[in-house]
Amino acid sequence: MNLDPLWLSLKIASISSLIVFVVGTLLARWLSRRHFRGKNLLESAILLPMVLPPTVVGFGLLYMFGKNGVLGKWLQALFDMQLVFTWYAAVIASVIVSFPLMYQSAAAAFKNYNPNLENAAYTMGASKMKVFWTISLPLAWPGLLAGLVLSFSRALGEFGATLMFAGYIPGKTDTLPIAIYFAVEAGNSQAALWLVLIMVVIGFGTVYWLNRWNKRQSIWITGVKDEEA
């Protein structure tokens, strides 16, 4: 059985998860402490890919980064680079569709603790960077970790946007979901079954670990033991 789609999917999901974790955490932290006109519009735009069909997201990316797209022409002119039908396109598609999950989890995490803890540190002369690393990040970490895990799982299972933007090129853009689809199309049910089982095991293991970790965190904070933890 060819496991190249598995390694490619893990690579794409890992890279995209790292990007959305860093950008999503910083953006959520910045927006959680600011109130301005148009904030709701900005957050709605950030969360929009979560409610749009993946094919719509894929078409939008293809429209922007294609040969005749604004960004596509710019990349071609300055760097002689074409993103469409490359594994980089799969990373971009995964970032776009998984980013709302990371942002939503991070925004909730930064709103769940008392901001006076940060204000007290500021009054004692701590810098914004030190407050972020020593207070904000540790307090929000459970929510951030949940967002990271969910984003990774979403990126691993991305299909529609990736297929439209990155296409299907064996050995280059054939991620697990795409490989499953084309295996079924080719009548290779055995290969499709194995790939499906791999995705189910990874997905179940990820969710199970996250639930166990959340329950252990709850026990540590409240001191109340859950019989199922």
Side-chain angles (χ1 to χ4, degrees):
M1 181 179 60
N2 182 15
L3 293 179
D4 287 344
L6 171 61
W7 310 129
L8 180 62
S9 292
L10 290 175
K11 179 174 74 171
I12 290 172
S14 298
I15 295 173
S16 64
S17 297
L18 178 61
I19 295 172
V20 300
F21 177 78
V22 174
V23 178
T25 298
L26 294 177
L27 183 60
R29 175 64 181 83
W30 183 74
L31 288 177
S32 66
R33 296 295 182 265
R34 282 166 175 78
H35 302 280
F36 54 88
R37 183 176 298 178
K39 180 179 177 180
N40 287 335
L41 289 176
L42 177 59
E43 289 188 315
S44 297
I46 292 172
L47 299 177
L48 185 59
M50 189 163 59
V51 298
L52 288 177
T55 49
V56 174
V57 176
F59 177 81
L61 291 172
L62 196 60
Y63 185 81
M64 289 189 297
F65 289 97
K67 290 183 178 180
N68 297 321
V70 176
L71 297 178
K73 289 181 178 178
W74 181 75
L75 289 172
Q76 188 69 38
L78 294 181
F79 304 104
D80 193 24
M81 178 186 297
Q82 181 65 39
L83 289 178
V84 179
F85 304 132
T86 66
W87 72 271
Y88 298 105
V91 172
I92 294 174
S94 296
V95 167
I96 298 299
V97 299
S98 62
F99 187 82
L101 291 172
M102 184 66 229
Y103 174 80
Q104 205 170 35
S105 297
F110 286 120
K111 291 176 182 177
N112 276 343
Y113 64 83
N114 192 342
N116 289 330
L117 296 172
E118 297 173 340
N119 296 332
Y122 289 136
T123 59
M124 297 176 66
S127 65
K128 290 184 178 181
M129 185 64 69
K130 185 174 183 179
V131 169
F132 176 78
W133 284 107
T134 60
I135 297 178
S136 306
L137 194 62
L139 290 175
W141 179 245
L144 298 179
L145 181 60
L148 177 62
V149 172
L150 292 175
S151 298
F152 177 84
S153 301
R154 179 66 184 88
L156 191 67
E158 164 51 31
F159 172 74
T162 302
L163 182 60
M164 291 196 68
F165 190 34
Y168 173 65
I169 304 176
K172 292 185 178 181
T173 64
D174 56 335
T175 59
L176 273 174
I178 293 176
I180 292 170
Y181 176 80
F182 281 96
V184 174
E185 284 288 299
N188 192 352
S189 299
Q190 190 68 24
L193 177 61
W194 279 109
L195 294 176
V196 167
L197 289 175
I198 290 173
M199 286 211 68
V200 170
V201 169
I202 294 175
F204 180 83
T206 302
V207 175
Y208 180 79
W209 176 86
L210 181 60
N211 285 335
R212 292 276 297 181
W213 187 84
N214 282 335
K215 288 178 180 178
R216 288 177 180 176
Q217 285 294 112
S218 178
I219 293 173
W220 182 80
I221 294 173
T222 64
V224 178
K225 185 175 182 180
D226 188 335
E227 294 181 357
E228 297 180 359

